[in-house]
Coordinates of all heavy atoms in Angstrom, one line a residue:
Chain C
S189 N -6.3 -7.4 11.3 CA -6.7 -7.3 9.9 C -5.6 -7.6 9.0 O -4.5 -7.1 9.2 CB -7.3 -6.0 9.6 OG -8.4 -5.7 10.5
Y191 N -4.6 -8.0 4.5 CA -5.0 -7.5 3.2 C -4.1 -8.1 2.1 O -2.9 -8.3 2.3 CB -4.9 -6.0 3.1 CG -5.6 -5.3 4.2 CD1 -5.1 -5.1 5.5 CD2 -6.9 -4.8 4.0 CE1 -5.8 -4.5 6.5 CE2 -7.6 -4.2 5.0 CZ -7.1 -4.0 6.3 OH -7.8 -3.4 7.3
Y193 N -3.1 -6.9 -1.8 CA -3.1 -5.9 -2.8 C -2.3 -6.4 -4.0 O -1.4 -7.2 -3.9 CB -2.5 -4.6 -2.4 CG -3.2 -3.8 -1.4 CD1 -3.1 -4.0 0.0 CD2 -4.1 -2.8 -1.7 CE1 -3.7 -3.3 1.0 CE2 -4.8 -2.0 -0.8 CZ -4.6 -2.3 0.6 OH -5.3 -1.5 1.5
Q195 N -0.2 -4.7 -7.4 CA 0.3 -3.4 -7.9 C 0.8 -3.5 -9.3 O 1.6 -4.4 -9.6 CB 1.5 -3.0 -7.0 CG 2.0 -1.6 -7.4 CD 3.1 -1.1 -6.4 OE1 4.0 -1.8 -6.0 NE2 3.0 0.2 -6.1
D196 N 0.2 -2.7 -10.2 CA 0.5 -2.7 -11.6 C 1.1 -1.4 -12.0 O 0.8 -0.4 -11.3 CB -0.7 -3.0 -12.4 CG -1.3 -4.4 -12.1 OD1 -0.6 -5.4 -12.3 OD2 -2.4 -4.4 -11.5
P197 N 1.9 -1.3 -13.0 CA 2.5 0.0 -13.4 C 1.5 1.1 -13.5 O 0.6 1.0 -14.3 CB 3.2 -0.3 -14.7 CG 3.5 -1.8 -14.6 CD 2.4 -2.4 -13.9
G198 N 1.8 2.2 -12.8 CA 0.9 3.4 -12.9 C -0.5 3.2 -12.3 O -1.3 4.1 -12.4
M199 N -0.7 2.1 -11.6 CA -2.1 1.9 -11.0 C -2.1 2.0 -9.5 O -3.2 1.8 -9.0 CB -2.5 0.5 -11.5 CG -2.7 0.3 -12.9 SD -4.1 1.3 -13.6 CE -5.4 0.3 -13.0
G200 N -1.1 2.2 -8.9 CA -1.1 2.2 -7.4 C -1.4 0.8 -6.9 O -1.1 -0.2 -7.6
L201 N -1.9 0.7 -5.7 CA -2.2 -0.6 -5.1 C -3.7 -0.8 -5.1 O -4.4 0.1 -4.6 CB -1.7 -0.7 -3.6 CG -0.2 -0.7 -3.5 CD1 0.4 0.6 -3.0 CD2 0.3 -1.9 -2.7
R202 N -4.2 -1.9 -5.6 CA -5.6 -2.2 -5.6 C -5.9 -3.4 -4.7 O -5.2 -4.4 -4.8 CB -6.0 -2.4 -7.0 CG -5.9 -1.2 -7.9 CD -6.5 -1.5 -9.3 NE -5.6 -2.4 -10.1 CZ -6.0 -3.0 -11.2 NH1 -7.2 -2.8 -11.7 NH2 -5.1 -3.8 -11.8
L203 N -6.9 -3.3 -3.9 CA -7.3 -4.3 -2.9 C -7.9 -5.4 -3.6 O -8.9 -5.3 -4.3 CB -8.1 -3.7 -1.9 CG -8.5 -4.6 -0.7 CD1 -7.3 -4.9 0.1 CD2 -9.6 -3.9 0.2
Y206 N -9.6 -8.9 1.7 CA -9.1 -8.6 3.0 C -9.8 -9.4 4.0 O -10.9 -10.0 3.8 CB -9.2 -7.1 3.3 CG -10.7 -6.5 3.5 CD1 -11.2 -6.3 4.7 CD2 -11.4 -6.2 2.3 CE1 -12.5 -5.8 4.9 CE2 -12.7 -5.7 2.5 CZ -13.2 -5.5 3.7 OH -14.5 -5.0 3.8
A208 N -10.9 -8.7 7.9 CA -11.0 -7.7 9.0 C -10.6 -8.3 10.3 O -10.1 -7.6 11.2 CB -12.3 -7.0 9.0
E217 N -11.5 -4.5 -4.3 CA -11.8 -3.8 -5.6 C -11.7 -4.8 -6.8 O -12.5 -4.7 -7.7 CB -10.9 -2.7 -5.8 CG -11.1 -1.9 -7.1 CD -10.0 -0.8 -7.2 OE1 -9.2 -0.6 -6.3 OE2 -9.9 -0.2 -8.3
V246 N 2.7 -7.5 -9.2 CA 3.4 -7.6 -7.9 C 2.3 -7.6 -6.8 O 1.5 -6.7 -6.8 CB 4.4 -6.5 -7.7 CG1 5.1 -6.7 -6.3 CG2 5.4 -6.4 -8.8
F248 N 1.2 -7.7 -2.8 CA 1.6 -7.3 -1.5 C 0.6 -7.7 -0.5 O -0.6 -7.5 -0.6 CB 1.8 -5.8 -1.4 CG 3.0 -5.3 -2.1 CD1 2.9 -4.7 -3.4 CD2 4.3 -5.4 -1.5 CE1 4.0 -4.2 -4.0 CE2 5.4 -4.9 -2.2 CZ 5.3 -4.4 -3.4
I252 N -2.8 -4.7 9.7 CA -3.0 -3.6 10.7 C -3.5 -4.1 12.0 O -4.2 -5.1 12.0 CB -3.9 -2.5 10.2 CG1 -5.3 -2.9 10.0 CG2 -3.4 -1.8 8.9 CD1 -6.3 -1.8 9.7
R255 N -8.4 -0.4 12.9 CA -8.7 0.6 11.9 C -8.0 2.0 12.3 O -7.8 2.3 13.4 CB -10.2 0.8 11.8 CG -10.7 1.7 10.7 CD -12.2 1.8 10.7 NE -12.6 2.7 9.7 CZ -12.6 4.0 9.8 NH1 -12.2 4.5 11.0 NH2 -12.9 4.8 8.8
N256 N -7.7 2.7 11.2 CA -7.1 4.0 11.4 C -5.7 4.0 12.1 O -5.3 4.9 12.9 CB -8.0 5.0 12.2 CG -9.1 5.5 11.3 OD1 -9.2 5.1 10.2 ND2 -9.9 6.4 11.9
T257 N -5.0 2.9 11.7 CA -3.6 2.8 12.1 C -2.8 2.4 10.8 O -3.4 2.0 9.9 CB -3.3 1.8 13.2 OG1 -3.8 0.5 12.8 CG2 -4.1 2.2 14.5
E258 N -1.5 2.6 10.9 CA -0.7 2.3 9.7 C -0.8 0.8 9.4 O -0.8 -0.1 10.2 CB 0.7 2.7 9.9 CG 1.5 1.9 11.0 CD 2.9 2.2 11.0 OE1 3.7 1.8 10.1 OE2 3.3 2.8 12.0
A259 N -0.7 0.5 8.1 CA -0.6 -0.8 7.6 C 0.8 -1.2 7.3 O 1.6 -0.3 6.8 CB -1.4 -1.0 6.3
F260 N 1.2 -2.4 7.8 CA 2.6 -2.8 7.5 C 2.6 -3.8 6.4 O 1.7 -4.7 6.3 CB 3.1 -3.6 8.8 CG 3.3 -2.7 10.0 CD1 2.3 -2.3 10.8 CD2 4.6 -2.3 10.3 CE1 2.5 -1.4 11.9 CE2 4.8 -1.5 11.4 CZ 3.8 -1.0 12.2
F261 N 3.5 -3.6 5.5 CA 3.5 -4.4 4.2 C 4.7 -5.4 4.2 O 5.7 -5.1 4.8 CB 3.7 -3.4 3.0 CG 2.4 -2.7 2.6 CD1 2.0 -1.6 3.3 CD2 1.6 -3.2 1.6 CE1 0.9 -0.9 2.9 CE2 0.5 -2.6 1.3 CZ 0.1 -1.4 1.9
G262 N 4.4 -6.5 3.5 CA 5.5 -7.4 3.2 C 6.3 -6.9 2.0 O 6.1 -5.8 1.5
Q263 N 7.3 -7.6 1.6 CA 8.2 -7.2 0.6 C 7.7 -7.5 -0.8 O 8.3 -7.1 -1.8 CB 9.6 -7.9 0.7 CG 10.3 -7.3 2.0 CD 10.6 -5.9 1.8 OE1 11.4 -5.4 1.0 NE2 10.0 -5.1 2.7
G264 N 6.6 -8.2 -0.9 CA 6.0 -8.4 -2.3 C 6.4 -9.7 -2.9 O 7.4 -10.3 -2.6
R266 N 6.6 -11.1 -6.8 CA 6.5 -10.7 -8.3 C 6.1 -11.9 -9.0 O 6.8 -12.9 -9.1 CB 7.8 -10.2 -8.7 CG 7.8 -9.6 -10.2 CD 9.1 -9.0 -10.5 NE 9.4 -7.8 -9.8 CZ 9.0 -6.6 -10.1 NH1 8.3 -6.4 -11.2 NH2 9.3 -5.5 -9.4
Chain L
G293 N 8.8 -3.0 -8.3 CA 10.1 -2.4 -8.3 C 10.1 -1.2 -9.3 O 9.2 -0.4 -9.3
S295 N 9.3 -1.1 -12.3 CA 8.1 -1.0 -13.2 C 7.0 -0.2 -12.5 O 6.1 0.3 -13.2 CB 7.7 -2.3 -13.6 OG 7.2 -3.0 -12.4
V296 N 7.0 0.0 -11.2 CA 6.0 0.7 -10.6 C 5.9 2.2 -11.1 O 4.9 2.8 -11.1 CB 6.2 0.7 -9.0 CG1 5.3 1.7 -8.3 CG2 6.0 -0.6 -8.5
L298 N 6.3 3.5 -14.0 CA 5.8 3.8 -15.4 C 4.6 4.6 -15.4 O 3.6 4.3 -14.7 CB 5.6 2.5 -16.2 CG 6.8 1.7 -16.5 CD1 6.4 0.4 -17.2 CD2 7.8 2.5 -17.4
H299 N 4.5 5.7 -16.2 CA 3.4 6.5 -16.4 C 3.0 7.3 -15.1 O 1.9 7.8 -15.0 CB 2.2 5.7 -16.8 CG 2.5 4.7 -17.9 ND1 3.0 5.2 -19.1 CD2 2.4 3.4 -18.0 CE1 3.2 4.1 -19.9 NE2 2.9 3.0 -19.3
L300 N 3.8 7.4 -14.1 CA 3.5 8.1 -12.9 C 3.9 9.6 -13.0 O 4.9 9.9 -13.7 CB 4.2 7.5 -11.7 CG 3.8 6.2 -11.1 CD1 4.7 5.8 -10.0 CD2 2.3 6.3 -10.7
D323 N -11.7 9.6 7.0 CA -11.3 10.2 8.3 C -9.9 9.9 8.7 O -9.5 10.3 9.9 CB -12.3 9.8 9.4 CG -12.3 8.2 9.6 OD1 -11.7 7.5 8.8 OD2 -12.9 7.8 10.5
Y324 N -9.1 9.3 7.9 CA -7.7 9.0 8.2 C -6.9 8.9 6.9 O -7.4 8.3 5.9 CB -7.7 7.6 9.0 CG -6.3 7.1 9.3 CD1 -5.5 7.7 10.3 CD2 -5.8 6.0 8.6 CE1 -4.3 7.2 10.6 CE2 -4.5 5.5 8.9 CZ -3.8 6.1 9.9 OH -2.5 5.6 10.2
I326 N -2.8 8.6 5.1 CA -1.5 8.1 5.4 C -0.6 8.3 4.2 O -1.1 8.2 3.0 CB -1.6 6.7 5.9 CG1 -0.3 6.1 6.5 CG2 -2.1 5.8 4.8 CD1 -0.5 4.8 7.3
Y328 N 2.8 6.8 2.2 CA 3.8 5.7 2.2 C 4.9 6.1 1.1 O 4.7 6.8 0.2 CB 3.2 4.4 1.7 CG 2.4 3.7 2.8 CD1 1.0 4.0 3.0 CD2 3.0 2.8 3.6 CE1 0.3 3.3 4.0 CE2 2.3 2.2 4.6 CZ 1.0 2.4 4.8 OH 0.3 1.8 5.8
Q330 N 7.7 4.1 -1.3 CA 8.1 2.8 -1.9 C 9.3 2.9 -2.7 O 9.3 3.6 -3.8 CB 6.9 2.2 -2.7 CG 7.2 0.8 -3.1 CD 6.1 0.2 -3.9 OE1 5.3 0.9 -4.5 NE2 6.0 -1.1 -3.9
G333 N 11.7 -2.2 -5.8 CA 11.8 -3.6 -5.3 C 11.4 -3.9 -3.9 O 11.6 -5.0 -3.4
K334 N 10.8 -2.9 -3.3 CA 10.4 -3.1 -1.9 C 8.9 -2.8 -1.7 O 8.3 -2.3 -2.5 CB 11.2 -2.1 -1.0 CG 12.7 -2.4 -1.0 CD 13.4 -1.5 0.0 CE 14.9 -1.8 0.0 NZ 15.6 -0.9 1.0
G335 N 8.5 -3.2 -0.5 CA 7.1 -2.9 -0.1 C 7.0 -1.5 0.4 O 8.0 -0.8 0.7
P336 N 5.7 -0.9 0.4 CA 5.5 0.4 0.9 C 5.9 0.5 2.4 O 5.7 -0.4 3.1 CB 4.0 0.6 0.7 CG 3.6 -0.3 -0.4 CD 4.5 -1.5 -0.2
F338 N 5.7 3.1 5.8 CA 5.0 4.2 6.4 C 5.9 5.4 6.6 O 7.0 5.3 7.0 CB 4.5 3.7 7.8 CG 3.9 4.8 8.7 CD1 2.6 5.2 8.5 CD2 4.7 5.4 9.6 CE1 2.1 6.2 9.3 CE2 4.2 6.4 10.5 CZ 2.9 6.8 10.3
R343 N -5.2 12.4 11.0 CA -6.6 12.1 11.2 C -7.4 13.4 10.7 O -6.8 14.5 10.7 CB -6.9 11.7 12.6 CG -6.2 10.5 13.1 CD -6.5 10.1 14.5 NE -5.6 9.0 14.9 CZ -5.7 7.7 14.5 NH1 -6.7 7.3 13.8 NH2 -4.8 6.9 14.9
F381 N 3.0 7.3 -2.1 CA 1.5 7.1 -2.2 C 0.8 7.7 -1.1 O 1.3 7.6 0.1 CB 1.2 5.6 -2.2 CG 1.7 4.8 -3.4 CD1 2.9 4.1 -3.3 CD2 1.0 4.7 -4.5 CE1 3.4 3.4 -4.4 CE2 1.5 4.0 -5.6 CZ 2.7 3.3 -5.5
N385 N -8.7 6.2 4.5 CA -9.5 5.3 5.2 C -10.9 5.9 5.3 O -11.1 6.9 5.9 CB -9.0 4.9 6.6 CG -9.4 3.6 7.1 OD1 -8.8 3.0 7.9 ND2 -10.6 3.1 6.6
I386 N -11.9 5.3 4.6 CA -13.2 5.9 4.6 C -13.9 5.4 5.9 O -13.9 4.3 6.3 CB -14.0 5.4 3.4 CG1 -13.2 5.9 2.1 CG2 -15.4 6.0 3.4 CD1 -13.8 5.3 0.8
M387 N -14.6 6.4 6.5 CA -15.2 6.1 7.8 C -16.2 4.9 7.6 O -17.0 4.8 6.7 CB -16.0 7.3 8.2 CG -16.5 7.3 9.7 SD -17.5 8.7 10.1 CE -16.3 10.0 9.9
G388 N -16.1 4.0 8.6 CA -17.0 2.8 8.5 C -16.3 1.6 7.8 O -16.9 0.5 7.9
Y389 N -15.2 1.8 7.1 CA -14.6 0.8 6.4 C -13.2 0.5 7.1 O -12.6 1.4 7.6 CB -14.4 1.1 4.9 CG -15.7 1.2 4.2 CD1 -16.4 2.4 4.2 CD2 -16.1 0.1 3.5 CE1 -17.6 2.4 3.5 CE2 -17.3 0.1 2.8 CZ -18.1 1.3 2.8 OH -19.3 1.4 2.1
S390 N -12.8 -0.7 6.9 CA -11.5 -1.1 7.5 C -10.4 -1.3 6.5 O -9.4 -2.0 6.7 CB -11.6 -2.4 8.3 OG -12.1 -3.5 7.5
T391 N -10.6 -0.7 5.3 CA -9.6 -0.8 4.2 C -9.0 0.5 3.9 O -9.6 1.6 4.0 CB -10.2 -1.4 3.0 OG1 -11.3 -0.6 2.5 CG2 -10.8 -2.8 3.3
L392 N -7.8 0.5 3.4 CA -7.1 1.7 2.9 C -7.2 1.7 1.4 O -7.0 0.7 0.7 CB -5.6 1.7 3.2 CG -5.2 2.0 4.7 CD1 -3.7 1.8 4.9 CD2 -5.5 3.5 5.0
F394 N -5.7 3.5 -2.0 CA -4.5 4.2 -2.4 C -4.6 5.0 -3.6 O -5.4 4.7 -4.5 CB -3.4 3.1 -2.6 CG -2.8 2.5 -1.4 CD1 -3.4 1.5 -0.7 CD2 -1.6 3.0 -0.9 CE1 -2.9 1.0 0.5 CE2 -1.0 2.5 0.2 CZ -1.7 1.5 0.9
G395 N -3.9 6.1 -3.6 CA -3.7 6.9 -4.9 C -2.8 6.2 -5.8 O -2.1 5.2 -5.4
K396 N -2.6 6.8 -7.0 CA -1.7 6.1 -8.0 C -0.2 6.4 -7.8 O 0.6 5.7 -8.4 CB -2.2 6.6 -9.4 CG -3.5 6.0 -9.8 CD -3.9 6.4 -11.1 CE -5.1 5.6 -11.6 NZ -6.2 5.4 -10.7

Side-chain angles (χ1 to χ4, degrees):
Chain C
S189 303
Y191 306 83
Y193 288 89
Q195 186 173 42
D196 302 295
M199 297 290 288
L201 290 109
R202 293 184 292 169
L203 184 65
Y206 67 101
E217 181 186 354
V246 182
F248 287 100
I252 63 171
R255 190 178 175 278
N256 284 3
T257 60
E258 66 172 288
F260 290 80
F261 283 83
Q263 290 299 296
R266 185 175 293 273
Chain L
S295 63
V296 169
L298 289 177
H299 313 303
L300 286 178
D323 61 351
Y324 175 73
I326 193 167
Y328 282 92
Q330 186 177 27
K334 296 184 177 180
F338 170 83
R343 299 181 192 281
F381 293 97
N385 203 156
I386 301 170
M387 193 182 300
Y389 291 85
S390 58
T391 60
L392 284 173
F394 283 80
K396 289 181 169 41

